[in-house]
Amino acid sequence: MNWTSRLLLTVLVSCFVVGCKPTARAETPGEIPVQALAEVERLQRVFGVPLTTYPAQAGEFTVPAASALTAAKLPGKPLQDDPPQLGQVPVYPEQQQDLVDPPTYQVPGLGTFRFRYFNNEMAFGRDHTWPMNDYSSVHGFNLIAPNERDPQTITWMPPGTRFPRGFGIGRAGMVKSLGIEDPERLDLLVDLGEEAVIEGLIKAGTFKNHDPEKYDEWYLDMEEGCPNRGTLRAKAFFPKEGTPEEQAAFEKKWYTGLAMILYCPIEAARRLGFKDLCIYGWNPDWWEADGDPEQDYYWQNIGKLILPHLDWVCCCNYYTRPSIANVAARLCDTDSNLRYLNTLPPEQRKPLRPFFSNQFIHYVPWCYLAPATNEEMQATTALQAFTQYDGYLLWCNAVLANDQSCNDNLPPPLTKDVKVRFRETYTAEQEGGGAREFRRYDLISVLSVEGPQVRFQFVDADNQKDHGLGADYPVYLATAEDLTPHLLSPFECLQGMYEGLAMAKQVEWTLRHGTIVWDFDSQEVHRKLLPIERHLQAGNLHVVATYDPQVVYGKPARDVLVRDFAGVEGLNLTFPTDSQVRIYLVKVQ
């Protein structure tokens, strides 16, 4: 039976149930490993989350929705047996204080916790972020960007806190420092040789402004991109009159030079004492996110040259715009990069830590810098842990008009072209008569601010023509004083992030050491905007997470039907979903 036919057969009256043939089977059932069993027992004892058991035979069952771990069960409960604590925190200068009580990023009643098997990095900079970084150090993050502080003076964060640092290096400047006038002639780096390039970068003082002893890990920001072969062949220096063999040889040489200008700075930095090094601006699936690693020219001829020089791998995995597809897209990107890395023997693989953000920072004009939703942040953090990546990295330094003094505990200042979202229902008058009721997460664009009067338009993400912006669409009116308290601050969605991490913490051994079960193809889930299910198995314990992204956008929840669960023919389990992540514990015997 094909996927479409199966989908039609699984439509229920009150919910949309999705099922498809698993792309990979679970591991052979056995007893629950002792570490996973300890997590199960703690979930039962602390949160009342049961282990639901089903017979290893054909049958139709619905897993009780109430049996799942949800964020609502977290407040007031100990999230680990030895919770981390902050020491004596100094009084910060005013520009680094929250100035909001309570801060909008804090989850009321959420206990403190840290991971043992994941490395989560909080990489925020700018003003009014030091208290948030402190909070992060005891709420799931063990790597904290100092943000203009000397790491050696930070003594109040828990033992084991590490401090990362990143800085930018331009490809053109590096190439010219090596005596090559045309920064595009990367083929000439091959003629110089790897050793000469490394020594030349050191001699040129590429790293002179950075102290390798001050920080625990580094990423070199080299966002130069990589032209595909068609673009390379159009360059003036490409040997267009050469034989096919000569052209192929030049192509290979040029891309080898590209790899060198990315990994030679890593090796130069390592010789100077820098440690735990990574490249920001490079990732394994650079050209073809849906590609086959074995057939991907870039990966085979460039990526594999770069990877051995890195201690860890990052990739850009940012939200781009308001969309039901946001969480699924982030999972697809991580899955794709891990798929590339996992084609290598285990000893050659490197840990993957993607960069995420709480705002739309890809310069899409109609939504630029608007915050993500709490639910998307919760789902992204919780479900990414099911990919078996190395950890979650939150970065954001994109603020309104590059104003580093903005306080993200507050909505951004209302100025022309700023994009903001509502945090609650709000009714605004329409210019020329009438009114509109805006809902939570509705996005608006400010047209003008004249005195107390704010003129704005509703941004329609589904309108592909002009997104509801322009002279043909209604304009709404409000005073800044009345409108501002109803708008989201960029930090509010961090509550969902901390909740997602706290949920993953409860099953972290299983998430890190279990076996991924592919009940659904993540690309298919993304393309068809289906509800999301992730599944890991340890022995005969199954940890299953669900999330339906469309509920956040006002549509009904759809249950997820997993056919032949755990490889048992005819055992079909239905898992309820919601706008909140649900984590189920299931045993088949």
Side-chain angles (χ1 to χ4, degrees):
M1 182 182 292
N2 63 31
W3 187 92
T4 304
S5 300
R6 181 167 286 157
L7 178 63
L8 292 174
L9 287 174
T10 55
V11 175
L12 299 181
V13 174
S14 61
C15 61
F16 189 28
V17 181
V18 180
C20 76
K21 204 75 173 175
T23 58
R25 292 297 187 185
E27 66 182 19
T28 303
E31 292 301 316
I32 300 175
V34 62
Q35 300 93 330
L37 185 60
E39 292 179 336
V40 170
E41 292 172 344
R42 192 173 189 283
L43 279 161
Q44 292 173 329
R45 183 178 72 254
V46 177
F47 302 98
V49 174
L51 175 61
T52 308
T53 303
Y54 296 97
Q57 61 189 42
E60 306 281 338
F61 302 95
T62 296
V63 184
S67 69
L69 174 67
T70 63
K73 297 181 179 181
L74 299 173
K77 301 293 178 59
L79 302 182
Q80 68 183 68
D81 294 333
D82 54 343
Q85 302 295 331
L86 283 175
Q88 184 63 43
V89 179
V91 177
Y92 295 134
E94 184 171 300
Q95 73 269 20
Q96 282 298 347
Q97 295 177 16
D98 288 319
L99 303 181
V100 173
D101 188 21
T104 56
Y105 55 82
Q106 292 188 5
V107 182
L110 188 70
T112 61
F113 64 99
R114 268 200 172 186
F115 287 84
R116 291 186 61 192
Y117 304 110
F118 294 91
N119 291 297
N120 297 319
E121 180 172 334
M122 175 56 71
F124 254 74
R126 70 180 189 261
D127 289 354
H128 305 289
T129 60
W130 288 1
M132 184 274 292
N133 284 322
D134 291 346
Y135 185 83
S136 297
S137 75
V138 290
H139 288 89
F141 291 87
N142 62 311
L143 289 134
I144 307 293
N147 186 16
E148 307 307 321
R149 292 182 283 186
D150 183 344
Q152 296 173 345
T153 67
I154 300 175
T155 59
W156 51 91
M157 293 183 186
T161 302
R162 302 174 68 221
F163 299 101
R165 176 78 172 179
F167 60 90
I169 307 177
R171 184 175 83 188
M174 285 192 292
V175 173
K176 287 190 174 183
S177 75
L178 297 168
I180 300 172
E181 287 302 314
D182 185 349
E184 292 197 345
R185 291 299 306 273
L186 301 183
D187 54 298
L188 300 179
L189 295 172
V190 180
D191 295 332
L192 285 177
E194 183 177 297
E195 184 64 25
V197 172
I198 293 171
E199 288 298 325
L201 292 174
I202 294 173
K203 185 177 179 180
T206 307
F207 311 96
K208 64 182 178 182
N209 296 322
H210 304 281
D211 181 358
E213 297 301 320
K214 210 174 230 189
Y215 300 93
D216 298 299
E217 71 173 33
W218 298 80
Y219 47 89
L220 307 186
D221 186 354
M222 293 187 278
E223 303 176 54
E224 299 296 334
C226 175
N228 60 32
R229 286 185 286 174
T231 302
L232 175 61
R233 291 165 187 163
K235 299 287 186 182
F237 55 78
F238 187 81
K240 298 180 180 62
E241 305 303 322
T243 66
E245 292 77 12
E246 290 170 337
Q247 291 179 343
F250 180 86
E251 193 174 78
K252 174 71 172 175
K253 184 178 181 182
W254 194 91
Y255 282 123
T256 299
L258 172 65
M260 289 175 63
I261 205 59
L262 289 170
Y263 72 71
C264 285
I266 291 288
E267 292 305 323
R270 203 181 302 281
R271 291 187 187 183
L272 293 171
F274 294 84
K275 50 191 177 293
D276 285 337
L277 290 154
C278 177
I279 296 173
Y280 177 87
W282 174 83
N283 49 273
D285 69 352
W286 207 346
W287 278 353
E288 302 175 32
D290 296 332
D292 177 0
E294 299 302 325
Q295 303 300 319
D296 188 326
Y297 181 94
Y298 169 79
W299 169 243
Q300 295 296 333
N301 293 277
I302 309 164
K304 285 186 174 181
L305 296 179
I306 296 169
L307 190 69
H309 300 273
L310 306 179
D311 295 302
W312 56 286
V313 176
C314 70
C315 60
C316 298
N317 206 348
Y318 302 129
Y319 301 122
T320 59
R321 64 200 71 200
S323 171
I324 292 175
N326 273 340
V327 176
R330 308 286 67 75
L331 288 167
C332 281
D333 192 84
T334 301
D335 288 342
S336 179
N337 279 282
L338 286 170
R339 186 173 71 249
Y340 276 62
L341 292 171
N342 290 340
T343 62
L344 300 173
E347 66 274 9
Q348 295 179 21
R349 299 172 192 171
K350 300 297 171 73
L352 176 74
R353 199 183 313 154
F355 275 67
F356 300 92
S357 179
N358 61 317
Q359 293 176 265
F360 304 115
I361 60 173
H362 265 294
Y363 304 104
V364 179
W366 58 269
C367 63
Y368 181 51
L369 296 184
T373 70
N374 294 40
E375 292 84 352
E376 286 167 333
M377 291 291 285
Q378 181 193 100
T380 299
T381 48
L383 299 178
Q384 287 284 333
F386 281 73
T387 67
Q388 297 190 321
Y389 65 175
D390 182 59
Y392 184 90
L393 193 157
L394 186 71
W395 178 91
C396 193
N397 204 35
V399 294
L400 183 66
N402 294 318
D403 182 357
Q404 298 293 316
S405 67
C406 285
N407 186 348
D408 278 0
N409 282 291
L410 301 169
L414 296 176
T415 59
K416 180 176 170 30
D417 292 331
V418 72
K419 307 301 187 291
V420 285
R421 289 179 115 161
F422 282 97
R423 69 185 308 270
E424 58 195 2
T425 301
Y426 180 79
T427 301
E429 295 181 5
Q430 182 175 323
E431 199 169 63
R436 180 189 180 111
E437 182 178 88
F438 293 88
R439 300 172 303 170
R440 177 170 168 84
Y441 297 139
D442 275 351
L443 179 64
I444 62 173
S445 177
V446 175
L447 297 178
S448 65
V449 180
E450 299 177 4
Q453 183 86 349
V454 181
R455 300 174 67 248
F456 59 95
Q457 289 185 304
F458 169 68
V459 181
D460 184 357
D462 296 326
N463 181 339
Q464 298 302 310
K465 179 183 177 182
D466 44 29
H467 305 290
L469 302 176
D472 296 333
Y473 298 95
V475 174
Y476 303 96
L477 307 172
T479 66
E481 182 180 13
D482 184 61
L483 178 62
T484 299
H486 301 279
L487 302 175
L488 278 172
S489 75
F491 269 172
E492 185 169 324
C493 62
L494 298 190
Q495 292 186 28
M497 176 193 70
Y498 295 120
E499 290 172 339
L501 290 172
M503 295 174 70
K505 168 64 184 175
Q506 306 315 305
V507 286
E508 70 161 317
W509 187 91
T510 303
L511 296 182
R512 192 60 163 167
H513 298 93
T515 300
I516 294 178
V517 182
W518 295 103
D519 294 318
F520 303 94
D521 179 78
S522 61
Q523 297 287 349
E524 178 112 335
V525 171
H526 176 217
R527 284 192 297 268
K528 297 188 176 181
L529 303 179
L530 304 177
I532 298 171
E533 181 257 14
R534 304 294 288 201
H535 181 178
L536 276 142
Q537 178 178 359
N540 61 353
L541 170 68
H542 299 264
V543 179
V544 176
T546 65
Y547 165 72
D548 191 347
Q550 75 173 25
V551 181
V552 182
Y553 293 87
K555 297 181 180 181
R558 303 162 291 176
D559 291 354
V560 174
L561 172 64
V562 180
R563 296 185 179 277
D564 301 337
F565 188 85
V568 178
E569 186 174 357
L571 176 59
N572 302 326
L573 300 188
T574 295
F575 292 87
T577 74
D578 198 353
S579 62
Q580 304 289 311
V581 171
R582 295 177 176 275
I583 297 180
Y584 298 89
L585 305 179
V586 175
K587 182 179 180 181
V588 177
Q589 66 178 21

